[in-house]
Amino acid sequence: MSRIVYVNGTYLPEEEATVSIFDRGFLMADGVYEVTSVLDGKLIDFAGHAARLDRSLRELDMDSPVTTEELLEIHRRLVAENAIDEGLVYLQITRGNPGDRDFAFPEPGTTAPTIVLFTQAKPGLADSPAAKKGIRVISIPDVRWGRRDIKTVQLLYPSLGKMMAKKAGADDAWMVEDGFVTEGTSNNAYIVKGSRIITRQLGNEILHGITRAAILRFAREAQMEVEERPFTVDEAREADEAFITSASAFVMPVVEIDGQVLRDGTPGPVARRLRELYLDEMLKAAV
Ligand code: PDD
């Protein structure tokens, strides 16, 4: 069944949705995005995603075509029109179509940004079989640009990373720079030593995950110890547990790193508890 999507102020069937070939998102990856998950037909942490979107736009000197209130309304209407119970809403804003290809940004006020939103249904998102089994990751070099804190649509290297993982018979890849893990291809990376949760500190090297912020808050509220610092692949291979977080994976246990099985190869208690805590708390606050 065809979806209803949103393009520049209009709700329409996906087959009728178009964007110009001159759009800078298409030609230059000059755009930012957000992914917000939907559980029980409600948006998880919409406020967090809206705040990060504003920051990404500001960092790139890009205008937003909509207010946060309008954005919430668009998200809700798409969830309702497409009858999404479990799934996600994808949002992208680009610097628009200046009429020609040019490296320089268009003069301020001359080019309207492009905004596109669509839904993806993902039945079984919360009760995911992968979360019960855990995933296997490999490590790969991090060769992305230096502003990974901005959520841009430049996703070619993360795509290549997922393909490298697939080829190696793994589920995902952790990227490594100067000897330390930065993050997963589309998620933040964590290890657990004893009862301590260790994850890289915020900076330009990683995306400031919205799920990461919530997880660290819940962990601290539950008196769990959190250490924000870089870690190596060797340290991770010897950890008691590992996991990743993202808006679409929530908390996903990692049971193997570069062929080294962690624990007995099953999800650990810290990752399991954090996943439960996250889903419980976020469902209560969903809008
Ligand atoms: N990815 N790091 C990277 C590189 C990411 O692409 C993502 C999200 C995260 C986790 O951020 P959050 O918790 O805010 O989702 C970390 C999304 C889900 C995606 O590209 O589909």
Side-chain angles (χ1 to χ4, degrees), residues 33-36 48-49 52 88 90 144 148 151-152 155 158 162 175 183-190 206-213 245-250 278:
Y33 76 107
E34 281 296 331
V35 175
T36 303
H49 289 284
R52 184 173 61 191
L88 55 88
Y90 176 87
R144 296 173 300 162
R148 303 157 194 160
K151 198 164 171 60
T152 74
L155 297 177
K162 297 253 191 215
M175 295 179 281
E183 58 186 336
T185 56
S186 63
N187 42 68
N188 290 116
Y190 306 72
I206 63 167
L207 185 73
H208 301 186
I210 300 307
T211 319
R212 177 188 183 281
T245 66
S246 78
S248 48
F250 310 125
Y278 180 81

Side-chain angles (χ1 to χ4, degrees), residues 5 9 30 43 67 126 143 147 152 163 199 213 241 276 278-279:
V5 303
D30 187 359
L43 299 161
T67 64
V143 301
R147 289 303 305 276
T152 74
M163 293 314 293
T199 193
E241 285 184 45
E276 266 171 40
Y278 180 81
L279 288 173

Side-chain angles (χ1 to χ4, degrees), residues 58-224:
R58 227 175 21 249
E59 291 295 320
L60 293 177
D61 208 8
M62 211 183 279
D63 294 328
S64 176
V66 288
T67 64
T68 300
E69 293 69 36
E70 287 166 338
L71 207 52
L72 177 57
E73 180 50 38
I74 301 166
H75 275 73
R76 280 186 163 148
R77 180 156 163 197
L78 287 180
V79 168
E81 295 231 8
N82 295 297
I84 304 294
D85 181 44
E86 284 192 310
L88 55 88
V89 180
Y90 176 87
L91 147 78
Q92 179 168 332
I93 298 178
T94 76
R95 208 180 302 273
N97 160 23
D100 269 322
R101 179 175 180 269
D102 189 350
F103 280 80
F105 291 177
E107 288 301 320
T110 61
T111 304
T114 299
I115 177 167
V116 168
L117 285 93
F118 57 80
T119 54
Q120 283 186 197
K122 289 193 178 289
L125 189 63
D127 194 24
S128 142
K132 293 191 181 84
K133 231 175 91 199
I135 61 163
R136 293 177 298 165
V137 302
I138 57 165
S139 62
I140 61 171
D142 195 339
V143 301
R144 296 173 300 162
W145 80 323
R147 289 303 305 276
R148 303 157 194 160
D149 57 310
I150 308 173
K151 198 164 171 60
T152 74
V153 296
Q154 306 175 72
L155 297 177
L156 184 53
Y157 190 67
S159 272
L160 289 172
K162 297 253 191 215
M163 293 314 293
M164 288 184 237
K166 203 171 165 180
K167 209 171 158 195
D171 303 295
D172 206 347
W174 280 8
M175 295 179 281
V176 179
E177 184 175 58
D178 299 331
F180 294 98
V181 173
T182 51
E183 58 186 336
T185 56
S186 63
N187 42 68
N188 290 116
Y190 306 72
I191 56 173
V192 179
K193 287 173 94 176
S195 58
R196 223 164 353 117
I197 299 160
I198 300 162
T199 193
R200 195 183 176 102
Q201 73 284 0
L202 296 182
N204 294 348
E205 303 77 25
I206 63 167
L207 185 73
H208 301 186
I210 300 307
T211 319
R212 177 188 183 281
I215 285 296
L216 295 189
R217 189 173 73 244
F218 296 144
R220 288 183 171 120
E221 281 169 8
Q223 316 298 329
M224 295 160 98

